[in-house]
Amino acid sequence: MGLRSHHLSLGLLLLFLLPAECLGAEGRLALKLFRDLFANYTSALRPVADTDQTLNVTLEVTLSQIIDMDERNQVLTLYLWIRQEWTDAYLRWDPNAYGGLDAIRIPSSLVWRPDIVLYNKADAQPPGSASTNVVLRHDGAVRWDAPAITRSSCRVDVAAFPFDDQRCGLTFGSWTHGGHQLDVRPRGAAASLADFVENVEWRVLGMPARRRVLTYGCCSEPYPDVTFTLLLHRRAAAYVCNLLLPCVLISLLAPLAFHLPADSGEKVSLGITVLLALTVFQLLLAESMPPAESVPLIGKYYMATMTMVTFSTALTILIMNLHYCGPSARPVPAWARALLLGHLAQSLCVQERGEPCGQSRPPELSPSPQSPEGGACPPAGPCHEPRCLCRQEALLHHVATIANTFRSHRAAQRCHEDWKRLARVMDRFFLGIFFSMALVMSLLVLVQAL
């Protein structure tokens, strides 16, 4: 900075010492005008004829590029073109006296410049002015165009992420001059977007300007400022493809655990795998989001999906417990048989396997064998007759025992089949419930992208 000032001072010294014969006609007039204007000029004081007069500064901002939006640190970096215009009462001349020369361009460091700074800057470096030229007209109007890379604080609200809109304000005002000495006003109702370079993540909706007059606690004098509010809408295509669609597909896959056969041994494993996949996506989302009180929309969707998968896995374990009820289990209660195995199974089209439930045959009673003469076999003593009724009664007793054992086994088997069928009915019922929940939640989130 010191080397640049040294070169500038050396150039001005050479300009003053340069003989007029070395310049053309227009150059001689510009040199004469420059010597006349800055003979007794100082850039340290406000250029007003009356010290009680307010100097009006017009501020115009052109947005060129959005360099970065740091959501975690809530800092917005922009590339702006800033134009300031004011009237210098000591830099006026008659164009006829200088061959019709009505405007000259000189270094901005030679003239007085307003100390307009960005109030909400988030940069540790001190504010600096770009060393660009100013356009000085014969009526004292000064126009200063300077590029600037600004880093301003912006409160980022991620409640609707990734379908959110952001409002970031840039407040410009004088740092030392109050409203009675310097008044700043915007040119037009909004900043210019004519030379804006489109951003891949953010779409600019507008940048309206608003003038305010505030009184701070340090000073009694009012301080005017101009706030340009940048309205941004996030382009959510990348987030939908990378974060949202995988979660939607995984959430639609989770209810299919109810459709897996219980004998496959993968029902609980599928639920746990889906839960782990959602946890990984949740961690990826947490790394890119700033810590805030409000949970993002996609974060709510992740938590709702993880809760649904957790409940579905727990219900799967309970249903598998019903499926593997052994023959020693109690029979299905009457209300469950009528409501679940009857009406609900019929409405869900759950087909029966094997013998229909609820149609058990009454146990058959084996009659006591009687002798043809109506008398019983003698209680003791050897039987010497080949066709004695005692032998037939013993044989019938053994057959009845085998039949009763078979009937008991069939009853226990039918009870086991009833519990298996009840488990299939519950699987089909919760498959419809959880798949509908996952589909509705996914549509509610995806409709935000339209």
Side-chain angles (χ1 to χ4, degrees):
M1 191 68 182
L3 184 60
R4 181 179 300 178
S5 302
H6 175 71
H7 288 171
L8 182 60
S9 302
L10 183 59
L12 294 177
L13 181 60
L14 291 176
L15 185 61
F16 275 105
L17 299 178
L18 189 65
E21 290 79 4
C22 297
L23 302 174
E26 186 176 355
R28 289 195 298 269
L29 292 175
L31 177 58
K32 183 177 183 302
L33 174 60
F34 181 82
R35 291 174 176 175
D36 294 343
L37 288 177
F38 290 92
N40 297 315
Y41 182 82
T42 177
S43 60
L45 301 176
R46 279 190 316 125
V48 291
D50 187 0
T51 55
D52 295 333
Q53 182 182 355
T54 302
L55 181 63
N56 296 319
V57 177
T58 303
L59 183 65
E60 181 180 1
V61 171
T62 299
L63 177 61
S64 178
Q65 185 181 3
I66 299 176
I67 298 178
D68 181 44
M69 167 68 90
D70 189 351
E71 296 164 339
R72 178 165 293 274
N73 296 319
Q74 300 193 5
V75 175
L76 175 64
T77 305
L78 301 175
Y79 179 50
L80 305 176
W81 298 346
I82 302 176
R83 170 175 292 183
Q84 303 178 46
E85 296 180 351
W86 67 94
T87 301
D88 197 316
Y90 302 118
L91 297 179
R92 296 176 179 176
W93 72 91
D94 185 6
N96 298 326
Y98 297 93
L101 187 63
D102 61 346
I104 59 174
R105 288 167 173 80
I106 59 176
S108 59
S109 59
L110 299 179
V111 300
W112 177 90
R113 294 174 298 183
D115 58 340
I116 293 179
V117 297
L118 180 63
Y119 282 174
N120 58 330
K121 70 186 303 292
D123 198 350
Q125 298 180 358
S129 301
S131 58
T132 57
N133 292 340
V134 297
V135 179
L136 180 60
R137 298 187 59 85
H138 66 91
D139 56 354
V142 182
R143 189 186 69 195
W144 181 27
D145 296 331
I149 296 179
T150 62
R151 288 173 52 86
S152 59
S153 59
C154 176
R155 186 179 182 274
V156 180
D157 185 10
V158 295
F161 177 85
F163 312 105
D164 54 330
D165 296 330
Q166 303 297 335
R167 299 171 58 92
C168 298
L170 288 85
T171 303
F172 295 91
S174 176
W175 190 252
T176 59
H177 295 91
H180 299 309
Q181 296 177 339
L182 191 147
D183 188 14
V184 56
R185 294 180 179 273
R187 178 181 293 277
S192 175
L193 302 176
D195 300 307
F196 177 68
V197 179
E198 291 293 334
N199 189 268
V200 295
E201 185 177 0
W202 298 96
R203 181 163 62 92
V204 177
L205 304 179
M207 197 172 179
R210 182 168 60 98
R211 178 180 179 270
R212 302 180 306 173
V213 179
L214 302 177
T215 301
Y216 298 96
C218 64
C219 314
S220 60
E221 189 177 3
Y223 281 80
D225 59 54
V226 175
T227 300
F228 293 91
T229 304
L230 182 60
L231 306 179
L232 299 174
H233 176 72
R234 191 189 301 271
R235 302 181 190 270
Y239 296 97
V240 170
C241 295
N242 298 328
L243 291 179
L244 191 57
L245 279 183
C247 181
V248 171
L249 297 178
I250 291 174
S251 66
L252 294 178
L253 182 64
L256 295 181
F258 293 107
H259 195 62
L260 282 176
D263 297 330
S264 65
E266 299 294 334
K267 294 172 71 70
V268 179
S269 300
L270 178 60
I272 295 177
T273 303
V274 170
L275 192 61
L276 292 177
L278 291 175
T279 304
V280 172
F281 280 103
Q282 179 73 17
L283 293 177
L284 292 177
L285 177 65
E287 290 180 357
S288 60
M289 288 292 96
E293 297 180 357
S294 58
V295 181
L297 177 63
I298 189 172
K300 296 178 182 178
Y301 176 70
Y302 275 28
M303 288 189 295
T305 305
M306 293 173 67
T307 304
M308 183 191 69
V309 174
T310 302
F311 275 106
S312 67
T313 305
L315 289 174
T316 300
I317 296 174
L318 296 179
I319 292 174
M320 290 184 65
N321 190 21
L322 295 179
H323 177 84
Y324 286 106
C325 281
S328 60
R330 294 183 300 175
V332 177
W335 66 268
R337 182 183 299 275
L339 180 62
L340 301 179
L341 297 180
H343 302 289
L344 187 59
Q346 184 178 2
S347 61
L348 296 177
C349 300
V350 179
Q351 299 178 354
E352 299 180 359
R353 296 180 182 177
E355 186 179 354
C357 298
Q359 298 182 4
S360 58
R361 291 178 296 178
E364 298 180 358
L365 299 176
S366 57
S368 300
Q370 301 289 336
S371 61
E373 293 82 3
C377 200
C383 182
H384 301 283
E385 296 294 333
R387 295 184 178 181
C388 180
L389 295 179
C390 295
R391 298 178 179 274
Q392 297 179 6
E393 183 179 4
L395 180 61
L396 291 176
H397 177 72
H398 290 301
V399 170
T401 303
I402 294 174
N404 292 333
T405 303
F406 180 75
R407 291 191 188 98
S408 300
H409 177 72
R410 290 287 297 173
Q413 191 68 24
R414 283 194 297 268
C415 179
H416 183 49
E417 291 295 331
D418 287 346
W419 285 111
K420 284 187 175 182
R421 184 164 177 259
L422 179 62
R424 293 197 304 271
V425 172
M426 299 303 295
D427 270 335
R428 187 71 59 86
F429 175 72
F430 286 116
L431 172 64
I433 293 295
F434 281 91
F435 192 83
S436 301
M437 291 174 56
L439 186 62
V440 169
M441 288 191 304
S442 301
L443 291 178
L444 289 178
V445 175
L446 290 178
V447 77
Q448 301 290 331
L450 302 178

